[in-house]
Amino acid sequence: MRKLRMWLAVGLVLAVVAPLVLVATPPAEAATVTISGSVSCSNGKAVQGVWVHSSAGGGKWASWWAFPGKAHAARYSASVSFAAASSTIELHVGCGGTTANWWSTNLTPGIKVSGSKVLNASCSSSSPGRHRSCTFPPKGLTATGNQGIAGYCTWGAYDKWKNAVGYYPKIGGHAIAMDDNARTNGWRVTDVPSTRAMIVINSGTYGHVGWVTAVRRDGGKLLIDFVDMNGGTYLAGTDAKTTDFGVFKNRTRTWDPSIHRFILATP
């Protein structure tokens, strides 16, 4: 009889505990993402810092450096971890003042991210204080297909844009005119080196264009890594074809603000 009571007691305990196990809350998903890009203060004041704010926690100060001769523009990067599958990210950019005391704090719109993201922003506050004055590159006119001629640099740049962004921009013309044409069609064009962007090289008869893969420093030089097509040695007797006609190649050029322009894609 005593053993029967003992087994009944054990069964009662298991009956109470088992439901607790079944309804236990699973651990929340977590993500670590890299937020990077270029920011600028259009009022000419120097960038003094970038805070990457996360709605799901994990916001942090970005590492950053100003572009040579352009203190109003900077490159930043931050690895942000949050205890959720996604988070809404805002950039808070300091323009003017010092790193410890910004003249103005400028906020971007919030954007939902679930993976690493390139966020290029331009900030335009004209007074001290806190403002939502930063914008991401706008979406200009789009095209239904590649506007370049197969094999040439324009075709290659459009192809890489489509692969990265998901649609073709409407720009048109030879490479040397693409920055002006893009601006006319509603795209943001800047002399600030940026990833998630085309680089337009305004030199020679036709110019050249490629898709930027990295912006980095090497000693005192600023280097632009990009992938292009038809960027080799010109072949005599051809219609501007080179040894790399129809071929993608990775290249690096030292930044030259006098001839380099960047057409920015949307985030």
Side-chain angles (χ1 to χ4, degrees):
M1 192 66 173
R2 183 178 298 171
K3 288 184 178 180
L4 180 59
R5 291 195 190 100
M6 182 177 66
W7 283 111
L8 289 173
V10 171
L12 181 61
V13 170
L14 291 175
V16 172
V17 172
L20 297 178
V21 174
L22 292 175
V23 299
T25 302
E29 294 184 68
T32 298
V33 302
T34 298
I35 306 298
S36 63
S38 298
V39 295
S40 62
C41 300
S42 61
N43 56 18
K45 294 187 178 295
V47 174
Q48 296 294 352
V50 180
W51 170 260
V52 179
H53 177 76
S54 165
S55 65
K60 67 189 298 184
W61 292 105
S63 60
W64 64 278
W65 43 269
F67 290 104
K70 291 185 179 292
H72 73 284
R75 189 79 186 158
Y76 78 93
S77 179
S79 180
V80 178
S81 298
F82 42 83
S86 63
S87 179
T88 298
I89 296 294
E90 290 181 358
L91 302 182
H92 298 185
V93 181
C95 295
T98 67
T99 55
N101 185 21
W102 297 350
W103 182 78
S104 64
T105 300
N106 305 276
L107 282 60
T108 67
I111 186 167
K112 187 175 181 179
V113 304
S114 56
S116 295
K117 197 85 169 172
V118 173
L119 297 178
N120 298 311
S122 176
C123 306
S124 59
S125 67
S126 57
S127 60
R130 184 181 178 92
H131 313 275
R132 193 169 291 280
S133 65
C134 301
T135 60
F136 296 128
K139 186 175 183 178
L141 299 180
T142 60
T144 56
N146 193 317
Q147 300 160 83
I149 299 174
Y152 286 96
C153 65
T154 52
W155 189 97
Y158 288 129
D159 183 70
K160 290 300 181 183
W161 178 300
K162 171 65 161 57
N163 289 341
V165 183
Y167 56 81
Y168 290 108
K170 184 176 182 181
I171 300 175
H174 290 303
I176 201 165
M178 285 178 65
D179 52 341
D180 292 332
N181 294 343
R183 190 179 290 109
T184 297
N185 287 334
W187 298 99
R188 180 172 295 168
V189 179
T190 178
D191 60 358
V192 176
S194 306
T195 49
R196 198 170 174 84
M198 288 184 186
I199 178 173
V200 178
I201 302 170
N202 285 312
S203 63
T205 302
Y206 300 106
H208 194 58
V209 65
W211 179 256
V212 180
T213 56
V215 176
R216 57 192 175 90
R217 294 181 296 179
D218 183 10
K221 296 187 297 183
L222 180 66
L223 303 180
I224 313 297
D225 295 334
F226 60 96
V227 59
D228 70 0
M229 182 172 280
N230 199 39
T233 303
Y234 278 101
L235 298 172
T238 67
D239 187 13
K241 293 182 180 179
T242 77
T243 50
D244 292 328
F245 182 79
V247 178
F248 283 117
K249 288 287 185 71
N250 294 311
R251 304 187 195 278
T252 299
R253 288 210 182 186
T254 301
W255 178 43
D256 184 346
S258 69
I259 62 172
H260 291 164
R261 295 296 179 267
F262 301 87
I263 306 171
L264 305 185
T266 49

